[in-house]
Amino acid sequence: MGPLNGIRVVEFAGIGPGPMAAMLLADLGASVIRVDRPGSPTLAPGAKWPQMSAGRPVLEADLKSPEDLARVRAVVDAADVLLEGFRPGVMERLGLGPEECLAANPGLVYARMTGWGQDGPLALRAGHDMNYISLTGALHSVGRRGQAPVPPVNLVGDFGGGTMFVVTGILAALLERGRSGRGQVVDAAMVDGSALLMSMMYEDRVQGLWSDERGVNYLDSGAPFYDVYECADGRYLAVACLEPRFYALFLERTGLDAAELPEQWDRSGWPVLRERFAAVLRTRTRDEWAEVFADSDACVSPVLSMAEAADHPHIRARGTVVRDGDVVYPGPAPRFSRTPGRNTRAPGAPTPGLEETLKEWGVDR
């Protein structure tokens, strides 16, 4: 049933981090109704799986229609959580802002996820993941020395800084509501979240352990023992042997002699270490090296593609990534001992009917 069984969520359809947040809540057992515009592509018959927007009944509504808006208000009045990702002011102009919704439903957790937040000079501006992380030091920190910053897909701003923090805010507000009986507004901004994800780097910088120069630090490809190396077949190996005991195991499995190498943390010797590591790792294929390190704590692993991930023994055993015929998709996380969640993305997974869900919520169609 999931630990959020009994929690009712109204999701206003969006893209990227919004659907991901609603997907996580649904995976955890919440009953989620997705409000989407008529004719939305996600509603089209035969849409391909897996979808982050799957597994949730859809209430089709034209929010400019008084009749449809009344239906949406009725659902919001019965909900525990409202999740929206419009620019500031949009929900207010629709008559669905926090003031109106909390007046009708004082226990409502009103979650707002935006790139720039509800206030500040950029609040009304458009943006994407890379824009949000460019102002927090996060984008500047990703990449190799002497080269341009590398966009880390949209994991840091959209999903790390956005989805994970709005879900954290929702869960915290629900917990507090259990004590006070009152809802509140959660203002989750991707720019805020991505800055907070950089906490360790900001801390290390204050202590003199991290440089603002890209690609020279111990976690950003600066250290030769925390980097990615090409193998004989053109595929790659992830080497992350930071601790001395793991580093020693790496040298042992590669056949390198520590006595013939610079000391691990002597930065002046890092170019030599990198050259030696690269040379030895090019002597075998990625999978041959994966076999060499398979039973070792050297912290070395193959770099797998999405197509390959589901076939790795550990990933397959836990269902971390699932292969279902030709479809590959991630499994749910985290795991629970008593109240397991569900995977809303699985092809053929049942989607609760809208009529049935409205009845459970006590809403008259």
Side-chain angles (χ1 to χ4, degrees), residues 251-289:
L251 297 184
E252 177 186 314
R253 293 296 174 102
T254 55
L256 293 169
D257 186 349
E260 299 177 355
L261 298 171
E263 193 276 328
Q264 180 185 2
W265 287 94
D266 177 6
R267 288 175 177 261
S268 67
W270 281 5
V272 174
L273 289 181
R274 184 177 302 281
E275 182 181 349
R276 296 291 300 277
F277 293 173
V280 72
L281 293 174
R282 278 196 297 266
T283 62
R284 302 189 188 190
T285 67
R286 181 199 67 179
D287 292 344
E288 287 172 341
W289 280 120

Side-chain angles (χ1 to χ4, degrees), residues 139-326:
L139 180 59
H140 173 84
S141 302
V142 181
R144 296 191 177 277
R145 186 178 188 179
Q147 298 182 18
V150 177
V153 203
N154 64 332
L155 297 176
V156 177
D158 281 354
F159 298 125
T163 295
M164 297 306 168
F165 282 96
V166 78
V167 170
T168 298
I170 288 169
L171 298 179
L174 286 172
L175 186 64
E176 192 279 336
R177 189 187 69 170
R179 297 190 294 270
S180 68
R182 300 169 59 195
Q184 60 182 305
V185 177
V186 177
D187 175 4
M190 297 171 214
V191 67
D192 298 344
S194 64
L196 196 53
L197 291 175
M198 291 288 291
S199 293
M200 188 179 81
M201 288 72 190
Y202 274 100
E203 179 181 325
D204 281 356
R205 185 170 179 269
V206 169
Q207 297 179 24
L209 302 174
W210 191 273
S211 170
D212 240 352
E213 182 181 356
R214 183 171 47 259
V216 301
N217 299 288
Y218 66 101
L219 293 177
D220 64 356
S221 78
F225 42 84
Y226 198 89
D227 207 346
V228 175
Y229 289 90
E230 187 175 1
C231 301
D233 56 353
R235 294 190 285 184
Y236 293 88
L237 204 65
V239 175
C241 48
L242 285 168
E243 293 82 356
R245 65 185 184 279
F246 302 152
Y247 181 73
L249 287 171
F250 170 74
L251 297 184
E252 177 186 314
R253 293 296 174 102
T254 55
L256 293 169
D257 186 349
E260 299 177 355
L261 298 171
E263 193 276 328
Q264 180 185 2
W265 287 94
D266 177 6
R267 288 175 177 261
S268 67
W270 281 5
V272 174
L273 289 181
R274 184 177 302 281
E275 182 181 349
R276 296 291 300 277
F277 293 173
V280 72
L281 293 174
R282 278 196 297 266
T283 62
R284 302 189 188 190
T285 67
R286 181 199 67 179
D287 292 344
E288 287 172 341
W289 280 120
E291 185 65 26
V292 168
F293 289 104
D295 62 347
S296 165
D297 276 345
C299 302
V300 177
S301 56
V303 177
L304 303 179
S305 68
M306 288 188 288
E308 295 174 306
D311 297 321
H312 186 275
H314 183 83
I315 301 300
R316 184 172 60 244
R318 284 185 59 82
T320 302
V321 177
V322 180
R323 184 182 298 282
D324 190 337
D326 294 331

